[in-house]
Amino acid sequence: MRLIHPGRLAARFLTLLCLLLGALPALAQDDLDGLLPVTEAYKLTADASTPGVVKLHWTIAPDYYLYRGRMKFKPGDGVTLGDAQLPDGEKHHDEYLGDVETYHHSVDATLPYTVAAGTTELKLSVQYQGCHEVDPKICYPPHTEQLTLPIPASGAPVAGAADSLGAALGKLGSNRGAGDGASLPAEQAFHLEALAKDRQHLLLRWTMPKGYYLYRDQTALKLKDADLSLAKPEWPAGVEHEDAHFGKTTVFFDQVELPVTIEGNTASLKTVNLEAGFQGCQDGGICYPLMTRALSIDLSGATPTSGTVAEPAPEMPPARTSEVGLGIALLYALLGGLILNLMPCVLPVLSIKVVSVIESGESPARRRSHALTYSAGVLTSFVVLGVAVVALAKAWGAQLQYPLLVAALSLVMLTAGLWMSGVVQFGGSLGNVGSSLANQKGWRGDFFVGVLAVVVASPCTGPFMGPALGYAFAAPAAQAMLVFFTLGLGLCLPFLAIGFVPALARLLPKPGAWMETLKQVLAFPMYLAAVWLAWVLANQRGADAVGLLLVAAVLLAMTLWCFEKSRWSGSASRSWVIVLALLTAIPLYALVRLPAAAPAAQNAVSANGTVAFTPAKLAELRKAGTPVFVDMTADWCVTCKANEHAVLDTDAFRDLLKKTGAVYMKGDWTNEDPAITAFLQEYHSPGVPLYVVFPKDGGHGNRLPTVLTSSLVEEALTKAAGTPVATNP
């Protein structure tokens, strides 16, 4: 066989490659005939005539579409962009990109911006991508257009005004946190509602999430009705500040109510039409352009009506401090704490405490010691949790939104179970739970059990805890802390009674050999608690998170095994304990970096007709006159799951929805969700569950108790639908 010289072979290969490359344009042309250039398939125009806002418009040719998720916006020098506001697209499954949203025919986007002082031109880049959906089916590569637009003569919001205001408030000692997340749409950041106190007096209320503020002197109000006007508004005291953009000005955080007087004869009018213009900023973030809301206010009553730009925002109930007084709230808190001892999420931890009390035998000193140190752990934890809730405005039970804490608690439950099963021993008493805490004659272990009981108690909301926590969230800080302390007192009260009342202590069984069997039996609730937390983790971060948790559990088991072996070995074995303990943290680190899983409520939409909660969808349903049952839930909320099992996941409830024409809307708070958090705050709820029924006539939502019954739900939905309530003869 004749061999070809390597040099000649390379030359022939290069020649063939050049011929193929030269032929590609001709080959491709046959397939791409008729396709439009990208800028003709998607014609982009921009309008910056409104100060602080760039309006983008794409005209999309027939048989072409744009991807919503492939749009990106980058600012030029001296420009800061806010979050783009895009409409929802058409949902479908893309072969390469998965679940996507697309636009056909046309699409508009609104992009808020601020500019640095001295900036004369607005520069930004806009990237987008789309496809041709008929033969030849091709997708264009991402295309970027550079835009240079004139800044309107009236100017634009100047970046830095919000920062300077936030800095000044910090100097004043304000404890309001700076905005630490993406900016909210204007309708959510500045919610305006109005009511008629009487035919000549109106009350306007702006409500802003934490970290947003409203300018007083940038607010303009006028009535569009003929022969009517407004007297000069009587503003309440605000926060005075030297603003970098507007000079010395006054701003309002959280909520401001403004009474205004109508000048003119309103005797023949049913409604008045108010136009409100105002401006505000996110503390440490962007300043919004001038916003305008139109409100039609009913003069025949005092029902608030929400001001809107395009679609009505969900109505907010009038602000209220509490439905109960301090004395009743404390009574509810004490009863709620007592009932927590019987809740399924607390029982596994109490298993440890029960055994430790029995182990104390007839020794009064040991019983008192167990009771006092356990109670100290409970009360200290409730006070710390109360401080965090009040200071950070976090909801009850929200700590289980963090996957790392869920995984760590699962491993703690596993460790306690292995201990109670006799696999590993940390000390002489099961009351000494807590690693090295166990080696200090028991009191540190008892204290830690109290801490653990409070941590796992938060997902359980008993029937008496809802009113108490609701009061705490609306009350002054000192009263709120008293409510949290009383909750802790209720939780530890049974053990205090056993420790200090001899008659109760005598009811405890005598110590004996049966105690070892009891310890081993009570280990199984600990294992079940670990499994439950793993299930919660799966709903937060998916199957990969559970896999990493199982790896961490195996490494933890090896650590505990080496710990036992090291009792009778040298320092080398103890070194392995440290190494394995450090290795256990690696899967937990990887777990934290996993993306959030899709909420269960969204996954269930097509299966049972449940609609996933969004403020826009709720507003759409209410505008259409549809009664809505809103269910705010979480996978770690035990009360939520009990209500679902007993009432909401039943054929009777589904038949009731059909009968009343109501929509079942579900918000999943298993992971953090700012929209759900804002909804909870609107209805002054300390956490989940929260159930609100909205009537078809557009009135205020009716908040239901945290513990549901079928008759209660039927009555609320029947009333919301405006149909007669069925009664038994």
Side-chain angles (χ1 to χ4, degrees):
M1 181 176 66
R2 183 180 178 183
L3 298 176
I4 300 177
H5 191 276
R8 293 180 180 177
L9 181 61
R12 292 180 183 179
F13 175 76
L14 289 174
T15 301
L16 179 60
L17 180 61
C18 290
L19 290 173
L20 288 173
L21 291 175
L24 281 178
L27 293 173
Q29 187 62 39
D30 291 337
D31 288 335
L32 301 183
D33 281 342
L35 286 177
L36 297 173
V38 63
T39 53
E40 293 185 21
Y42 315 103
K43 293 181 180 179
L44 173 62
T45 57
D47 176 14
S49 59
T50 303
V53 176
V54 178
K55 298 178 181 179
L56 304 175
H57 176 81
W58 283 267
T59 301
I60 305 171
D63 300 328
Y64 292 79
Y65 61 84
L66 276 176
Y67 288 109
R68 184 181 192 272
R70 309 294 284 183
M71 292 182 174
K72 298 179 181 178
F73 310 93
K74 293 184 179 179
D77 294 338
V79 179
T80 301
L81 297 179
D83 290 341
Q85 298 181 30
L86 292 161
D88 293 336
E90 303 171 24
K91 296 179 174 60
H92 76 94
H93 186 79
D94 188 280
E95 181 180 0
Y96 301 102
L97 300 177
D99 293 328
V100 296
E101 296 182 36
T102 59
Y103 301 119
H104 289 80
H105 309 303
S106 66
V107 62
D108 292 283
T110 302
L111 195 62
Y113 71 90
T114 57
V115 296
T119 304
T120 58
E121 291 182 321
L122 176 63
K123 295 183 178 181
L124 69 152
S125 64
V126 180
Q127 184 182 99
Y128 55 89
Q129 185 177 11
C131 299
H132 188 235
E133 59 186 350
V134 297
D135 290 332
K137 296 181 179 180
I138 66 103
C139 287
Y140 293 89
H143 177 72
T144 301
E145 293 192 35
Q146 303 294 334
L147 303 180
T148 301
L149 305 171
I151 293 178
S154 58
V158 177
D163 295 332
S164 62
L165 178 58
L169 291 175
K171 293 178 182 178
L172 293 173
S174 172
N175 62 356
R176 306 185 191 280
D180 57 356
S183 301
L184 294 172
E187 292 83 358
Q188 297 181 26
F190 302 92
H191 182 81
L192 172 62
E193 58 184 359
L195 60 85
K197 299 170 68 176
D198 55 48
R199 299 191 68 85
Q200 298 297 138
H201 297 89
L202 307 177
L203 181 66
L204 308 183
R205 181 187 296 124
W206 284 267
T207 305
M208 291 78 69
K210 188 177 180 63
Y212 290 78
Y213 58 88
L214 178 77
Y215 290 111
R216 183 192 67 185
D217 298 333
Q218 302 303 313
T219 303
L221 306 171
K222 68 177 182 179
L223 291 175
K224 296 193 290 184
D225 304 86
D227 302 325
L228 293 181
S229 61
L230 293 175
K232 184 178 180 180
E234 300 176 2
W235 288 94
V239 178
E240 297 293 335
H241 177 66
E242 186 70 29
D243 187 82
H245 184 54
F246 295 116
K248 189 174 182 179
T249 187
T250 300
V251 299
F252 299 96
F253 283 88
D254 300 329
Q255 187 178 86
V256 58
E257 293 187 345
L258 177 65
V260 292
T261 301
I262 302 175
E263 294 181 338
N265 186 4
T266 62
S268 61
L269 298 179
K270 294 183 178 180
T271 61
V272 292
N273 298 293
L274 176 73
E275 185 177 282
F278 51 92
Q279 189 171 8
C281 296
Q282 181 186 17
D283 194 6
I286 70 165
C287 283
Y288 289 73
L290 184 67
M291 294 163 275
T292 301
R293 306 280 171 86
L295 303 96
S296 179
I297 306 169
D298 183 9
L299 294 181
S300 62
T303 302
T305 57
S306 296
T308 62
V309 175
E311 295 184 357
E315 293 179 3
M316 178 182 292
R320 59 185 186 272
T321 55
S322 178
E323 297 174 352
V324 297
L326 176 60
I328 299 299
L330 294 178
L331 178 60
Y332 280 150
L334 186 65
L335 293 174
L338 283 168
I339 292 175
L340 276 181
N341 287 282
L342 305 177
M343 300 302 283
C345 50
V346 186
L347 282 174
V349 178
L350 296 187
S351 300
I352 302 173
K353 195 73 219 124
V354 168
V355 171
S356 66
V357 172
I358 293 176
E359 280 185 333
S360 64
E362 298 181 359
S363 169
R366 292 190 64 187
R367 285 197 302 271
R368 288 193 293 269
S369 174
H370 282 303
L372 287 174
T373 51
Y374 169 77
S375 300
V378 169
L379 294 173
T380 301
S381 301
F382 262 102
V383 170
V384 171
L385 186 59
V387 170
V389 166
V390 172
L392 304 178
K394 290 289 185 181
W396 175 258
Q399 66 268 20
L400 289 186
Q401 290 179 335
Y402 302 103
L404 180 60
L405 179 59
V406 174
L409 282 175
S410 180
L411 295 179
V412 168
M413 295 296 182
L414 175 62
T415 302
L418 293 174
W419 191 346
M420 299 175 79
S421 295
V423 176
V424 62
Q425 294 294 327
F426 293 117
S429 169
L430 286 175
N432 300 335
V433 173
S435 187
S436 62
L437 299 175
N439 298 321
Q440 303 295 325
K441 298 184 179 180
W443 73 268
R444 292 180 183 268
D446 287 328
F447 186 91
F448 177 72
V449 174
V451 173
L452 188 61
V454 174
V455 173
V456 300
S458 57
C460 297
T461 303
F464 294 102
M465 286 183 62
L469 288 172
Y471 179 91
F473 274 69
Q479 296 182 17
M481 295 307 304
L482 186 58
V483 170
F484 277 97
F485 182 87
T486 308
L487 277 168
L489 183 62
L491 180 59
C492 61
L493 192 58
F495 292 101
L496 284 173
I498 291 173
F500 286 87
V501 179
L504 292 176
R506 284 193 290 271
L507 297 178
L508 294 175
K510 304 297 182 183
W514 60 271
M515 288 174 48
E516 187 62 30
T517 301
L518 176 63
K519 294 178 186 179
Q520 296 172 3
V521 170
L522 292 179
F524 293 99
M526 309 303 294
Y527 296 135
L528 287 175
V531 171
W532 168 65
L533 289 164
W535 173 78
V536 171
L537 186 64
N539 289 330
Q540 289 177 324
R541 291 296 185 270
D544 289 346
V546 177
L548 290 170
L549 176 63
L550 293 176
V551 172
V554 172
L555 291 172
L556 176 63
M558 293 177 63
T559 303
L560 297 176
W561 176 72
C562 283
F563 175 78
E564 279 294 298
K565 299 288 289 184
S566 66
R567 293 176 183 274
W568 300 277
S569 304
S571 58
S573 296
R574 289 190 288 273
S575 299
W576 275 108
V577 173
I578 298 174
V579 171
L580 288 172
L582 294 175
L583 289 176
T584 304
I586 296 177
L588 299 181
Y589 173 78
L591 184 151
V592 173
R593 301 176 65 86
L594 291 174
Q602 292 183 3
N603 294 337
V605 169
S606 59
N608 59 14
T610 304
V611 175
F613 170 82
T614 65
K617 185 62 177 178
L618 177 59
E620 177 186 334
L621 291 170
R622 300 205 63 197
K623 184 178 179 180
T626 304
V628 185
F629 184 98
V630 175
D631 171 12
M632 293 302 180
T633 183
D635 288 329
W636 38 260
C637 171
V638 176
T639 307
C640 304
K641 296 305 174 184
N643 286 333
E644 290 173 8
H645 176 74
V647 179
L648 302 179
D649 287 346
T650 63
D651 291 336
F653 179 69
R654 287 185 281 272
D655 291 341
L656 180 62
L657 292 175
K658 293 178 182 178
K659 175 184 174 182
T660 58
V663 169
Y664 180 30
M665 177 172 281
K666 200 169 187 178
D668 192 322
W669 209 45
T670 302
N671 293 301
E672 289 184 281
D673 188 318
I676 295 178
T677 302
F679 188 87
L680 295 174
Q681 292 172 349
E682 286 183 10
Y683 286 89
H684 311 283
S685 174
V688 291
L690 171 64
Y691 306 105
V692 182
V693 177
F694 292 94
K696 69 176 184 180
D697 61 6
H700 283 306
N702 174 30
R703 178 176 169 181
L704 303 184
T706 55
V707 178
L708 298 179
T709 63
S710 297
S711 59
L712 181 70
V713 172
E714 181 178 5
E715 180 181 354
L717 278 177
T718 303
K719 182 179 179 182
T723 55
V725 180
T727 57
N728 294 324

